[in-house]
Amino acid sequence: RLSGTPTDFNFKEVQFRNIAQTIAVLGRFDAMVPHAAGITTATASLKQVLPTDAMYWIATVAGFMVEYNESGTKPLYTLTPKK
């Protein structure tokens, strides 16, 4: 499940959907983000973390659950709102 190189992430009032897409590109995995995530903004600063860890941490703080799936050609992280 570990993917990518430890990286610094610094986002300030960015739509969560854009944050997830950026992290997925750097981590070389796919991310499915619900439409509602486009209206959620976040500010985060993480130092030298793997993109996979960044996805989990930022998604959790933004109120999303993360599900991991290896069925395709690349790992897939599916985000869903917490209930």
Side-chain angles (χ1 to χ4, degrees), residues 1 5-6 12 30 32 51 57 71 82:
R1 289 188 186 189
T5 303
K12 185 173 181 180
D30 292 328
M32 289 185 63
W57 293 337
S71 64
K82 288 182 183 177

Side-chain angles (χ1 to χ4, degrees), residues 2-3 6 13 16 18 29 33-34 41 48-49 59 61 65 67 77 82:
L2 301 178
S3 183
E13 297 182 29
F16 182 75
N18 294 337
F29 53 80
V33 183
T41 60
Q48 292 301 297
V49 297
V61 170
M65 295 184 302
E67 181 181 323
Y77 290 82
K82 288 182 183 177

Side-chain angles (χ1 to χ4, degrees), residues 2 5 11 15 21 29-30 33 44-45 53 59 64 66 68 71 73 78-79 81:
L2 301 178
T5 303
F11 301 103
Q15 286 186 346
Q21 289 172 343
F29 53 80
D30 292 328
V33 183
S45 181
D53 290 339
F64 294 94
V66 181
Y68 176 79
S71 64
T73 58
T78 303
L79 284 62

Side-chain angles (χ1 to χ4, degrees), residues 8-76:
D8 291 346
F9 295 95
N10 191 17
F11 301 103
K12 185 173 181 180
E13 297 182 29
V14 177
Q15 286 186 346
F16 182 75
R17 174 183 300 279
N18 294 337
I19 292 172
Q21 289 172 343
T22 299
I23 293 171
V25 167
L26 292 172
R28 294 182 219 109
F29 53 80
D30 292 328
M32 289 185 63
V33 183
H35 181 70
I39 59 172
T40 302
T41 60
T43 297
S45 181
L46 302 169
K47 302 293 181 198
Q48 292 301 297
V49 297
L50 290 170
T52 48
D53 290 339
M55 181 66 81
Y56 276 102
W57 293 337
I58 293 174
T60 300
V61 170
F64 294 94
M65 295 184 302
V66 181
E67 181 181 323
Y68 176 79
N69 187 331
E70 283 189 44
S71 64
T73 58
K74 290 197 292 189
L76 171 65

